[in-house]
Amino acid sequence: MRYLTAGESHGPQLTAIIEGLPAGMPLVAEDINAELSRRQKGYGRGRRMQIEKDQVQIKSGVRHGYTLGSPVSLTVENKDWKHWTKIMGIEPLAGGEAEEVKRQITRPRPGHADLNGGIKYGHRDMRNVLERSSARETTVRVAAGAVAKKLLRLLDIHVASHVVEIGGIRSEKGSFDTITELQERSENSPVRCLDKEAETKMMKAIDDAKANGDSIGGIVEVIVEGMPAGIGSYVHYDKKLDAKIAAAIVSINAFKGVEFGIGFEAAEKFGSEVHDEIAWEKEKGYYRKTNRLGGFEGGMTNGMPIVVRGVMKPIPTLYKPLESVDVDTKETFTASIERSDSCAVPAAAVVAEAAVAWELASAIVSQFYSDRMDALVASVKEFKQYAKEF
Ligand code: EPS
């Protein structure tokens, strides 16, 4: 399974083309729209989110509510496009129009793709870079992830997330009993945090950063329940499923790191404090007495819940100026902007869910016969039973 996204932040639309889905999988726009609207929420978002009302249009690969096996194309309109038709126009500029859109971006923002992307493609107007490197693209990654989540749900595999840290404030009372409870509680929090005390402090930290013209980052955690053991590979480096998930998380705009289970804490512990003891019961099959490794051993799932965390740096588009260099004049200037999110960590949790869901769905589809959804459901069910009795 693979997908390609296209679209500029202020262009007419965003597109995702998904290939490799089983045929006969139920899919309607509402499955995707629900996820798109989750991504648009979150305390700390800027004015752009008041303009956009992300809604998907399924343009191919689905007939009468079921996938056909052919590529599924998804589009989401940029409502803001109507304000950018000249600056972001597709057709060559007519004589007089060039004057209107001559405002070129020659001042790269520190922390963004602007300068490196400009050098790579020879774009002296760095709008040509920032339009595509914008996190607006995550809209259609979430759309593709929503399709993956639908496939996983049909296999009784469930994905949820919450925010564990924003601007140095940690969620201390973030425990939960079931994944449904986790999802409900994080959904009802403006910062997707389970700890009410931390939630208030996080919102205050976002307000303070905003008042200061600054931005703050944080840590999100994705949890997945129901994955059978033995998905992924210990045989080939490029088929290790935890490695694929790590790449998918770090590929989200502004993400700088990833960990599974206790993650980096493992560096300071003995092996006996890190590895999870194996047990077996007739009803449950094999399980681990603890889940410090976050559901992965040897590049494969071990049947325990998957626990992945990703760290997002503060958004680099700042009201508070940082020094940079104008590529035309080579003069130092201080960069400042007109519109930005002060914190997008809650929204990024939804994007991280999508990224993880995609990798899991993709690994399942490649490991089992998957041309037909009914056959896939049957084989995964049978495999889960086999793994239990192994
Ligand atoms: C972004 C800048 C802002 C954000 C945008 C990501 O957009 P604009 O430049 O239009 O003010 O709102 O995020 C989204 C549009 C989105 O859908 O998440 C950036 O530079 O990455």
Side-chain angles (χ1 to χ4, degrees):
M1 228 161 75
R2 57 185 178 154
Y3 73 100
L4 185 69
T5 74
E8 276 69 43
S9 180
H10 304 99
Q13 68 174 41
L14 301 157
T15 307
I17 300 183
I18 300 176
E19 200 243 356
L21 279 171
M25 181 180 113
L27 185 67
V28 290
E30 192 36 43
D31 294 321
I32 299 164
N33 287 337
E35 296 293 322
L36 294 182
S37 97
R38 291 178 70 225
R39 194 201 69 96
Q40 285 206 273
K41 291 186 205 143
Y43 198 75
R45 297 286 258 156
R47 291 195 304 277
R48 175 79 187 270
M49 282 307 96
Q50 289 153 24
I51 300 173
E52 301 301 337
K53 300 275 171 292
D54 295 337
Q55 295 272 299
V56 78
Q57 291 194 41
I58 302 177
K59 294 284 179 76
S60 74
V62 177
R63 182 167 179 240
H64 302 154
Y66 289 89
T67 55
L68 297 172
S70 52
V72 171
S73 47
L74 308 173
T75 64
V76 176
E77 252 179 48
N78 287 321
K79 299 270 184 232
D80 210 10
W81 157 245
K82 60 176 178 287
H83 306 120
W84 294 78
T85 48
K86 284 270 159 61
I87 295 176
M88 290 303 293
I90 309 284
E91 299 297 325
L93 289 171
E97 286 175 342
E99 199 46 34
E100 264 181 79
V101 298
K102 75 171 184 221
R103 197 174 54 134
Q104 297 217 332
I105 296 183
T106 57
R107 299 177 151 198
R109 298 159 301 170
H112 266 275
D114 304 351
L115 181 57
N116 309 325
I119 291 171
K120 176 174 165 69
Y121 285 115
H123 291 316
R124 298 203 61 82
D125 177 1
M126 284 173 291
R127 171 155 302 286
N128 291 338
V129 180
L130 70 88
E131 281 291 334
R132 179 62 184 160
S133 65
S134 164
R136 179 77 188 136
E137 189 253 1
T138 61
T139 307
V140 273
R141 291 196 69 183
V142 166
V147 175
K149 281 175 93 172
K150 175 77 186 224
L151 182 145
L152 294 174
R153 260 199 314 279
L154 296 165
L155 302 172
D156 208 15
I157 300 164
H158 303 276
V159 183
S161 70
H162 61 131
V163 166
V164 296
E165 188 169 331
I166 286 182
I169 292 150
R170 281 197 80 89
S171 165
E172 304 288 351
K173 294 174 218 127
S175 63
F176 53 91
D177 289 329
T178 63
I179 196 159
T180 318
E181 182 205 323
L182 160 66
Q183 197 62 304
E184 273 171 21
R185 280 173 55 200
S186 72
E187 219 56 43
N188 288 324
S189 162
V191 282
R192 296 198 169 276
C193 176
L194 303 186
D195 178 344
K196 284 286 158 198
E197 230 172 275
E199 172 187 285
T200 312
K201 290 186 189 159
M202 285 173 181
M203 288 164 75
K204 163 105 178 42
I206 294 170
D207 290 341
D208 290 349
K210 191 173 177 184
N212 233 346
D214 226 318
S215 59
I216 44 177
I219 299 175
V220 303
E221 181 172 87
V222 178
I223 314 269
V224 185
E225 274 185 12
M227 274 297 281
I231 310 298
S233 176
Y234 68 97
V235 177
H236 300 296
Y237 74 89
D238 57 346
K239 290 191 174 161
K240 292 186 180 189
L241 186 48
D242 46 0
K244 289 190 167 206
I245 289 174
I249 292 283
V250 178
S251 76
I252 302 168
N253 308 50
F255 274 65
K256 300 300 284 181
V258 63
E259 59 179 12
F260 295 86
I262 62 166
F264 278 48
E265 261 180 53
E268 64 209 40
K269 293 190 184 298
F270 290 108
S272 57
E273 299 167 326
V274 170
H275 297 288
D276 303 304
E277 289 181 306
I278 300 174
W280 185 88
E281 280 169 34
K282 198 168 186 331
E283 279 304 301
K284 281 165 89 168
Y286 295 95
Y287 63 94
R288 305 296 184 274
K289 291 184 182 173
T290 49
N291 190 23
R292 294 183 286 233
L293 294 181
F296 281 100
E297 289 165 309
M300 298 161 296
T301 52
N302 63 9
M304 293 298 285
I306 292 172
V307 183
V308 195
R309 272 186 296 280
V311 58
M312 184 186 197
K313 69 180 178 182
I315 287 174
T317 309
L318 298 176
Y319 294 88
K320 195 174 195 150
L322 285 183
E323 270 192 12
S324 177
V325 173
D326 189 304
V327 296
D328 277 354
T329 63
K330 305 293 185 286
E331 276 167 14
T332 299
F333 72 96
T334 48
S336 72
I337 49 95
E338 292 147 28
R339 182 171 83 180
S340 172
D341 302 327
S342 40
C343 178
V345 174
V350 178
V351 182
E353 278 181 39
V356 172
W358 179 269
E359 294 306 325
L360 297 178
S362 177
I364 286 183
V365 160
S366 70
Q367 196 158 325
F368 297 90
Y369 171 77
S370 58
D371 282 348
R372 290 186 356 248
M373 192 65 204
D374 61 344
L376 180 63
V377 170
S379 352
V380 171
K381 196 171 169 201
E382 188 197 326
F383 183 78
K384 280 186 180 177
Q385 188 59 32
Y386 147 83
K388 209 187 246 189
E389 292 163 5
F390 178 81

